[in-house]
Amino acid sequence: MQKFREVLKSSKNIIVVAGAGLSAASGIPTFRDGGGLWRKYEATSLATPEAFHENPSRVWQFYHMRREIVQKAKPNAAHMVLAALSVKETLRQICPSAESFTLITQNIDGLSPKALDQLTGTLTSKKTFEEVTPKPESIIEMHGRLLATLCTECEHSEANDDSPICAALKGTEVIVEKQEQELEIPLSDLPRCTRPNCGGLLRPDVVWFGEVPYKLEEIDEIVRQADLAIVVGTSSTVYPAAGYASEVADNGGKTAVFNLDRSAGDRKANYLFLGPCSETLPQMLA
Ligand code: BV8
Ligand code: ZN
C-alpha cells in the first residue's frame, strides 16, 4: 500500500471533511460531551426547527451557551495546518500535484475562518500575492455559523458576535448550568430583527436537522472531482457530510481518517491516524 505521504504528493483535488473533533483542542465540546443541563437533552433534539418552534427560549439558551464558549475559543494547531493548505505556496510544498484544496466543515464555531485570518496576518513572502493569499472560498461552513443570525420573517442573515446577543440571555449560561433548569424567556425578549419594519424573531444562522446544508451543489461538484478525502474529527454519523469520503472512494480516490477514536467513517478508509488531530494533523500535513 502506498504511503500516505506519497498519496499526498500525487493527489490533484483534495477535500477535508471536518467535524466537532477538529475544535475539541480549542475547548469546544463535541456533540457527545456538552456540559451540564444540556447533557439532559440530546443536542440533536435541540438542533431542529421543530424544537425552535416549540420552545425558542430553550433553544436560544442552548445556542447562547455555545456562543459564549466559541467567543473565547482560539484556533488550535489542527485548524492552522488546514488553513495553511489553503495557501497555494504551502499546499504545493506538501501536495506538489494539487490543483485544488477545499475544507468542508460541519462545525459552526468559525474557528477555521478565524485560523485563515490569523494566517493571513503572518504571511510574509516575496512570492506573488496569489501564491500566499489564502483563498476564503477554500472553506465551506456547510452547517452555517453560530455567530450569525437569520430572521424568521424577512430571512435576512448577518454576522453577530454580540455577547450576550440580547439582555434576557445574559448570564443564562451560568444560571442554567447551576440550577439545572432553564428560564422561560418571553418571545419579545429573545433576539429580534432590527431591519426596518421587521422586528421578526431571529434564529441562529445554522443548519438544523431536516434542513438543507449550505452550498450543497457546490460541495457535490467538489466531491465529484476529488481524488483524496481527508476526514478529521467526526463520528461520520451526520449526512450528507458522512457520505462524502465513501463517494470519493467509490470514484477511485483515496481516503484518510484522522480521529480520536474509531468511527463509522474509518471502516473503508485507506489510512487511519488515531489520536488527537491537533497532534496527528501537524505530524502528517505540516
Ligand atoms: C438534510 C448545526 C435534507 C447545528 C448540525 C441521508 C442523506 C441526507 C440526510 C440524511 C440522511 N440520513 C439521515 C439524514 C438526516 C440528517 C442526519 O444525518 N441525521 C443523522 C442524525 C442520522 N441529516 C440532516 O438533517 C441534514 N440535512 O439531510 O437535508 C437533504 C440533504 C441532502 C440533499 C437534499 C436534502 C442536516 C444535518 C445538519 C445538522 N446540523 N450542526 C448545531 O451544530 O447545533 S450537525 C451537528 O452534528 C454538528 O455539525 C456536528 O458537527 C455534527 C456532529 O457530528 P460530529 O461533528 O461528527 O461530532 P460528534 O460529537 O458526533 O463526533 C466528534 C468526533 O470527533 C468523534 O468521533 C470523536 O472521537 C472525535 N474527536 C473528539 N476529540 C477529537 C476527535 N478527533 C480528533 N481529535 C480530537 N481531539
Ligand atoms: Zn427581519
Side-chain angles (χ1 to χ4, degrees):
M1 153 98 77
Q2 256 187 323
K3 284 210 171 308
F4 182 56
R5 282 200 182 279
E6 280 147 40
V7 170
L8 285 174
K9 284 204 170 61
S10 57
S11 297
K12 287 197 170 52
N13 297 301
I14 302 162
I15 63 168
V16 172
V17 181
L22 171 62
S23 299
S26 300
I28 312 271
T30 64
F31 263 64
R32 290 193 173 68
D33 56 19
L37 168 85
W38 306 113
R39 214 192 305 280
K40 201 164 93 186
Y41 300 104
E42 248 292 281
T44 45
S45 69
L46 289 164
T48 66
E50 295 74 19
F52 186 72
H53 182 74
E54 202 187 296
N55 193 333
S57 162
R58 170 183 299 163
V59 173
W60 258 118
Q61 288 173 70
F62 175 56
Y63 283 91
H64 163 73
M65 177 269 292
R66 294 171 67 193
R67 284 171 57 97
E68 295 300 300
I69 294 173
V70 156
Q71 263 145 339
K72 300 180 187 83
K74 294 200 176 13
N76 64 56
H79 293 110
M80 296 315 292
V81 163
L82 298 179
L85 291 175
S86 75
V87 174
K88 233 187 174 133
E89 185 187 2
T90 328
L91 179 63
R92 214 176 278 134
Q93 286 157 12
I94 315 270
C95 313
S97 318
E99 288 154 19
S100 74
F101 171 86
T102 311
L103 167 58
I104 301 165
T105 184
Q106 300 173 87
N107 298 338
I108 61 174
D109 54 35
L111 289 181
S112 287
K114 219 180 214 175
L116 214 48
D117 291 348
Q118 238 172 270
L119 182 74
T120 320
T122 59
L123 283 176
T124 50
S125 161
K126 295 172 203 46
K127 299 265 179 187
T128 59
F129 182 74
E130 201 262 340
E131 287 289 293
V132 291
T133 311
K135 294 166 55 188
E137 65 276 14
S138 65
I139 298 181
I140 299 179
E141 294 174 291
M142 68 182 290
H143 291 162
R145 301 171 295 162
L146 201 48
L147 300 182
T149 56
L150 174 65
C151 178
T152 57
E153 299 287 333
C154 70
E155 297 192 343
H156 172 70
S157 151
E158 63 181 28
N160 177 312
D161 61 2
D162 296 345
S163 166
I165 186 164
C166 68
L169 282 166
K170 185 173 177 57
T172 54
E173 71 281 9
V174 179
I175 305 168
V176 153
E177 287 289 293
K178 278 220 180 79
Q179 295 175 3
E180 282 289 304
Q181 67 174 23
E182 63 202 83
L183 309 182
E184 299 289 329
I185 301 174
L187 269 182
S188 52
D189 295 347
L190 288 173
R192 309 297 306 197
C193 181
T194 53
R195 309 284 284 173
N197 317 317
C198 187
L201 176 63
L202 294 178
R203 54 169 279 183
D205 189 5
V206 299
V207 176
W208 281 326
F209 287 97
E211 296 183 325
V212 181
Y214 282 120
K215 302 200 175 169
L216 215 49
E217 285 76 35
E218 189 182 333
I219 293 173
D220 288 347
E221 184 46 34
I222 291 167
V223 171
R224 244 191 303 282
Q225 301 299 329
D227 56 357
L228 173 61
I230 301 172
V231 179
V232 180
T234 177
S235 58
S236 292
T237 48
V238 174
Y239 287 85
Y244 292 149
S246 29
E247 193 179 326
V248 171
D250 295 347
N251 295 342
K254 291 272 191 288
T255 59
V257 170
F258 288 75
N259 212 56
L260 190 63
D261 324 301
R262 296 302 305 259
S263 64
D266 67 27
R267 255 192 313 277
K268 292 197 291 187
N270 300 103
Y271 303 93
L272 172 60
F273 302 97
L274 287 178
C277 58
S278 51
E279 293 167 18
T280 55
L281 272 182
Q283 278 158 11
M284 292 313 295
L285 285 174

